[in-house]
């Protein structure tokens, strides 16, 4: 099995326990990270009405729910939210969680990878988010080209991610101990899949630094407007706007 298929299969395996492991492992801090991402993204959209948000690597649908909740909070009205993920297991959980909104056509879900957003027409998306998903995409350049294709001119790209640190300071060492030692152990306990939760710190190590990511966005014509590390730089928020 190639690397990308193995990663997707791993998410299929942990899908049933993914939400409960997440709540325990993040101690609820991810709610703040996601809310900030929505708030900041809305600041770059002048119109009060946002037609379409696309959440790539939507998993069990958490970010989709945050978009819905925060749109009202920050005075925006929302047309449709589309979620895409290649893991059937993760999507199945999302489908159960979001069944009312799917029925009322507020939300649509598709099975698919970031590098091939075929169901999405070019220049049709106002905001494209990918939350803790880009690290799992093997062909990042192809995915970014797709993001560029589907975003409207002036559309907003929102990346939430655990990025690789170029130089580790003291705080990074402490957070590194948490992600390398505690998280694989607790995640393994909850999911009974220690391998999957050992993958997380390894995937951060082999991912891009925030500077490298910014460079990749530059290449595809997306201007980075905002970068901030949250909670001792554990989570990075990057917001770009398509030129
Ligand atoms: C850590 S989960 C994040 C899920 C969700 N975005 C969240 O914030 O909870 C990573 C997700 O990336 C998805 N994924 C893995 N490979 C992918 C790819 N090539 N393209 C898009 N999504 C991918 C997985 O199936 C999984 O649902």
């Amino acid at each position: 099995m190639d690397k990308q298929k193995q990663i997707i299969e791993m998410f299929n395996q942990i899908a049933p326990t993914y939400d409960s492991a997440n709540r325990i492992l993040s101690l609820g801090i991810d709610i703040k990270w996601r809310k900030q991402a929505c708030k900041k993204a809305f600041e770059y959209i002048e119109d009060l009405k946002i037609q379409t948000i696309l959440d790539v690597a939507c998993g069990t649908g958490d970010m989709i729910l945050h978009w819905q909740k925060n749109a009202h909070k920050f005075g925006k009205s929302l047309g449709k939210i589309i979620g895409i993920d290649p893991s059937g297991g993760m999507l199945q959980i999302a489908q159960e969680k979001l069944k009312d909104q799917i029925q009322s056509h507020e939300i649509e879900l598709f099975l698919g990878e970031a590098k091939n957003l075929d169901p999405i027409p070019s220049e049709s998306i106002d905001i494209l988010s990918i939350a803790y998903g880009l690290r799992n995409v093997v062909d990042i350049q192809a995915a970014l080209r797709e993001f560029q294709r589907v975003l409207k001119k002036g559309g907003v790209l929102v990346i939430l991610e655990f990025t690789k640190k170029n130089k580790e300071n003291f705080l990074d060492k402490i957070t590194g101990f948490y992600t390398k030692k505690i998280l694989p152990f607790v995640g393994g306990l909850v999911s009974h899949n220690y391998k999957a939760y050992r993958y997380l710190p390894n995937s951060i190590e082999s991912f891009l630094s925030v500077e490298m990511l910014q460079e990749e966005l530059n290449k595809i014509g997306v201007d980075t407007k905002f970068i901030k590390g949250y909670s001792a730089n554990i989570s990075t928020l990057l917001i770009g706007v398509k030129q």
Side-chain angles (χ1 to χ4, degrees):
M1 217 192 290
D2 73 19
K3 190 177 167 199
Q4 185 64 78
K5 285 200 179 119
Q6 280 178 27
I7 293 172
I8 296 166
E9 182 46 34
M10 186 196 78
F11 280 103
N12 280 333
Q13 285 169 15
I14 62 170
T17 52
Y18 178 83
D19 280 347
S20 34
N22 234 10
R23 291 293 87 81
I24 297 169
L25 292 168
S26 76
L27 305 167
I29 302 172
D30 67 305
I31 294 171
K32 180 185 141 197
W33 301 338
R34 292 172 196 274
K35 183 178 172 190
Q36 278 301 314
C38 298
K39 179 173 181 268
K40 276 282 151 202
F42 292 145
E43 285 176 17
Y44 290 96
I45 302 269
E46 273 174 26
D47 293 348
L48 291 182
K49 167 104 183 154
I50 294 170
Q51 279 165 346
T52 315
I53 295 182
L54 171 64
D55 187 40
V56 179
C58 67
T60 60
D62 267 12
M63 198 62 205
I64 294 179
L65 285 171
H66 277 82
W67 282 122
Q68 276 208 315
K69 189 167 126 195
N70 286 300
H72 297 297
K73 206 172 258 172
F74 295 108
K76 299 283 188 187
S77 76
L78 270 188
K80 185 168 61 176
I81 309 182
I82 303 170
I84 289 194
D85 197 284
S87 157
M90 296 290 272
L91 270 190
Q92 202 183 331
I93 308 279
Q95 253 150 6
E96 284 157 23
K97 268 159 70 175
L98 307 170
K99 61 176 180 297
D100 292 344
Q101 296 100 313
I102 292 172
Q103 226 162 35
S104 60
H105 305 288
E106 288 163 79
I107 291 174
E108 276 177 41
L109 298 178
F110 292 101
L111 189 73
E113 282 191 47
K115 68 175 182 192
N116 184 355
L117 302 174
D118 263 356
I120 315 294
S122 298
E123 312 222 327
S124 63
I125 300 298
D126 298 282
I127 298 177
L128 187 154
S129 59
I130 179 158
Y132 313 105
L134 200 56
R135 241 177 327 111
N136 306 296
V137 175
V138 172
D139 194 345
I140 292 182
Q141 274 87 9
L144 293 179
R145 282 196 298 275
E146 272 297 79
F147 296 176
Q148 202 271 355
R149 177 183 72 78
V150 301
L151 272 171
K152 290 178 183 169
K153 201 163 181 273
V156 177
L157 174 63
V158 180
I159 300 175
L160 269 170
E161 198 44 278
F162 305 120
T163 50
K164 183 187 159 96
K165 307 280 177 311
N166 282 333
K167 264 191 268 158
E168 280 203 336
N169 61 27
F170 180 65
L171 264 182
D172 294 334
K173 288 203 169 78
I174 296 176
T175 55
F177 179 77
Y178 178 76
T179 46
K180 285 177 200 152
K181 304 285 180 206
I182 298 175
L183 192 146
F185 178 71
V186 179
L189 264 184
V190 178
S191 66
H192 302 291
N193 189 334
Y194 287 92
K195 194 172 162 211
Y197 282 87
R198 274 198 302 272
Y199 160 81
L200 179 74
N202 296 338
S203 68
I204 300 173
E205 288 294 311
S206 47
F207 188 54
L208 307 175
S209 67
V210 74
E211 293 81 9
M212 287 153 84
L213 189 52
Q214 200 176 345
E215 228 172 84
E216 291 301 327
L217 295 186
N218 226 350
K219 284 185 205 161
I220 57 153
V222 170
D223 252 357
T224 303
K225 298 284 189 191
F226 180 86
I227 301 180
K228 189 170 171 184
Y230 291 89
S231 311
N233 280 330
I234 296 177
S235 175
T236 302
L237 168 63
L238 191 150
I239 301 220
V241 172
K242 178 174 163 180
Q243 293 158 10

